[in-house]
Amino acid sequence: MTLLALGINHRTATVEVREQVAFTPTQLDAALVELRALPAVKEAALLSTCNRTELYCVTESQGEYEILDWLGRFHGLAVEDLSHCAYHYLENDAARHLMRVAVGLDSMVLGEPQILGQLKEAYQASRRAKGLGRELECLFQHTFAVAKQVRTETGIGRNPVSVAYAAVSLASRIFDDFGRAKALLIGAGETIELVARHLHEAGVRQLTVANRTRERAEILAGPLAGRAVTLDEIPDALVDADIVISSTAAPLPILGKGMVERALKKRRHRPIFMVDIAVPRDIEPEVGQLSDIFLYTVDDLQEVIEENRRHRQVAADQAESLIEHGVGAWLHDRRIRGGGELIRDYRAGAEELRAQSEQQALERLARGEDPEEVIRRLAHQLTNRLLHRPTVALRDAASAERHDILEAAASVLLDAPTDKTR
């Protein structure tokens, strides 16, 4: 059996291609059933995210073309269109790839933690579809153990490298009592959602979200016990804001110098920390000229991002070492399991031969044959049957000059030193 990992990701394919090969949650169960039904596939798991679609299979042969052809047929794509952007790994390399994916070393953002949760969901889906056998079950368990070790023993997840986190990180350096600061977030897209989450995790409890539609602002602010306002209400909200972080798609600035000056006057010139992470900018550059305003743009955040990225790279190097140990442990376990399967198969064959010989002996006794002769014949027959296949195998090994097999057989079967002369 061969372990195979086959996939397409953000490094090998455009977003248009990735969208076409992605599996929706409603497609997943049917896809696993179809994949598992392929003649060459014995076990299967399927990971599908916005940045990757990967198939992990145990196959009788390498089988990558058959699986890639199925992937194309499932999504109505020509296999030729997929082959130039698909990659595959076998055996150790496949196990190593899965472990690197699990700890975020193969992600667009180095060390991002979401992929591990997505991988666990893929594992559970495969279990429900009965796609997991002994090989993939053990591989996933080793992978999860390695991912936990990497998260525990390295700092790969401790230094986020997103713009949202960098903005919050800068804000936390400004305020002595960060938890008492009041934040005004302008926009309700993914970046502002991340900002809100980071602020909440950092202890900020007074959040106001301003958006063009109040409904969208409420969706974001509600779970964090925040307040939702419209863009027209920003002048009033600005008066109470210690932190302002803005990220909208507006073509023109939302905060002008005059609006901010009026808010500062009502605040009695208590300072405001502002981060404009929109492109084009939401806050007029002239706002930064005001003496009580600390205004940063997305370019100013790059220093924080690069610093965190350097920390993550050190942790990534440590993670690679832990992964190598994890691959070694998986291989060791796999060899032991392989030996156990061989022993079980050999003992089952021996038991079948014993049962046959026993039945024949009982039939002879029932016919009245001499018991001593029956026992002698039984012993002779059983010995010959048990030794036949090993004897043939040893003769074939000798003919092929497989001295490694002969020496191993001699050390185990004869329990005697082997002759090293050739």
Side-chain angles (χ1 to χ4, degrees):
M1 293 293 178
T2 300
L3 175 65
L4 167 69
L6 183 148
I8 290 170
N9 68 15
H10 58 280
R11 290 191 178 90
T12 66
T14 64
V15 65
E16 290 80 13
V17 174
R18 298 201 305 272
E19 287 173 344
Q20 292 180 77
V21 298
F23 291 88
T24 65
T26 56
Q27 291 176 319
L28 197 57
D29 289 344
L32 282 167
V33 171
E34 283 191 27
L35 179 59
R36 178 63 183 81
L38 295 177
V41 176
K42 301 306 173 189
E43 301 178 34
L46 198 161
L47 173 65
S48 187
T49 73
C50 57
N51 283 329
R52 70 180 66 244
T53 292
E54 293 185 338
L55 314 175
Y56 293 90
C57 302
V58 175
T59 66
E60 286 187 340
S61 58
Q62 294 182 5
E64 58 267 21
Y65 185 85
E66 180 180 352
I67 294 171
L68 188 64
D69 181 65
W70 169 82
L71 181 63
R73 284 188 284 105
F74 190 94
H75 292 292
L77 300 170
V79 69
E80 293 79 11
D81 295 334
L82 298 179
S83 59
H84 73 279
C85 57
Y87 49 84
H88 72 273
Y89 301 97
L90 302 175
E91 298 292 288
N92 300 9
D93 292 333
R96 183 179 296 105
H97 177 72
L98 178 60
M99 293 180 190
R100 294 187 81 254
V101 168
V103 302
L105 294 184
D106 196 57
S107 296
M108 185 177 292
V109 176
L110 182 65
E112 60 95 1
Q114 289 85 2
I115 186 64
L116 180 58
Q118 293 166 331
L119 192 60
K120 288 181 177 180
E121 291 174 2
Y123 163 77
Q124 293 295 344
S126 184
R127 287 194 70 182
R128 290 194 303 270
K130 303 190 185 309
L132 295 182
R134 187 177 315 207
E135 282 291 332
L136 285 185
E137 177 69 39
C138 290
L139 174 60
F140 274 102
Q141 293 305 326
H142 274 281
T143 296
F144 296 147
V146 167
K148 181 179 179 180
Q149 185 182 16
V150 168
R151 293 286 167 184
T152 302
E153 298 183 14
T154 77
I156 197 165
R158 297 174 198 156
N159 297 284
V161 292
S162 68
V163 169
Y165 180 83
V168 174
S169 178
L170 265 181
S172 67
R173 299 177 188 181
I174 300 295
F175 296 91
D176 292 332
D177 191 354
F178 193 48
R180 298 184 65 179
K182 299 177 181 179
L184 169 63
L185 309 182
I186 304 174
E190 183 178 350
T191 299
I192 288 296
E193 185 176 358
L194 283 173
V195 168
R197 192 183 311 157
H198 287 312
L199 283 170
H200 191 76
E201 291 171 354
V204 175
R205 292 294 178 264
Q206 300 183 71
L207 293 172
T208 299
V209 179
N211 191 53
R212 184 174 55 84
T213 63
R214 189 184 299 273
E215 292 75 16
R216 175 59 185 159
E218 287 174 344
I219 290 173
L220 195 154
L224 302 177
R227 185 167 66 103
V229 299
T230 64
L231 297 183
D232 293 337
E233 297 173 271
I234 285 178
D236 292 332
L238 196 58
V239 175
D240 291 326
D242 303 307
I243 300 168
V244 176
I245 301 177
S246 185
S247 177
T248 75
L252 297 173
I254 292 173
L255 297 185
K257 186 178 179 182
M259 181 193 298
V260 177
E261 280 183 314
R262 289 189 291 274
L264 282 174
K265 191 173 182 179
K266 292 181 180 179
R267 288 174 58 85
R268 297 186 179 182
H269 293 276
R270 283 184 291 118
I272 303 176
F273 172 84
M274 293 186 171
V275 183
D276 186 354
I277 49 183
V279 180
R281 285 180 283 189
D282 284 338
I283 304 174
E284 287 183 349
E286 291 77 14
V287 171
Q289 298 170 4
L290 298 174
S291 58
D292 298 307
I293 296 294
F294 298 88
L295 176 60
Y296 294 84
T297 68
V298 68
D299 292 338
D300 298 320
L301 302 180
Q302 289 307 311
E303 182 180 347
V304 176
I305 293 172
E306 287 304 319
E307 179 185 352
N308 286 355
R309 187 174 285 120
R310 286 193 294 271
H311 286 303
R312 281 204 172 187
Q313 188 56 57
V314 171
D317 294 339
Q318 297 170 340
E320 294 282 12
S321 177
L322 292 174
I323 286 171
E324 287 307 311
H325 282 95
V327 172
W330 169 75
L331 270 175
H332 177 71
D333 183 62
R334 193 186 198 198
R335 292 187 186 114
I336 291 175
R337 286 187 287 108
E341 291 172 1
L342 175 62
I343 291 169
R344 282 193 296 273
D345 290 345
Y346 184 73
R347 290 183 68 90
E351 176 62 23
E352 185 178 350
L353 292 176
R354 183 206 62 76
Q356 292 174 357
S357 297
E358 178 186 88
Q359 182 61 35
Q360 291 171 355
L362 290 173
E363 290 173 357
R364 292 190 183 98
L365 289 173
R367 290 196 298 268
E369 295 185 19
D370 179 25
E372 291 187 5
E373 180 60 28
V374 170
I375 291 173
R376 291 192 189 94
R377 188 168 182 178
L378 170 64
H380 179 74
Q381 184 182 64
L382 188 56
T383 300
N384 283 342
R385 286 179 172 179
L386 290 173
L387 293 180
H388 174 70
R389 291 180 64 184
T391 300
V392 171
L394 288 171
R395 284 174 179 167
D396 291 343
S399 175
E401 296 186 347
R402 290 295 306 276
H403 300 293
D404 55 334
I405 295 177
L406 296 174
E407 290 176 4
S411 64
V412 173
L413 300 178
L414 303 181
D415 194 23
T418 56
D419 184 0
K420 298 294 183 181
T421 60
R422 298 283 187 264

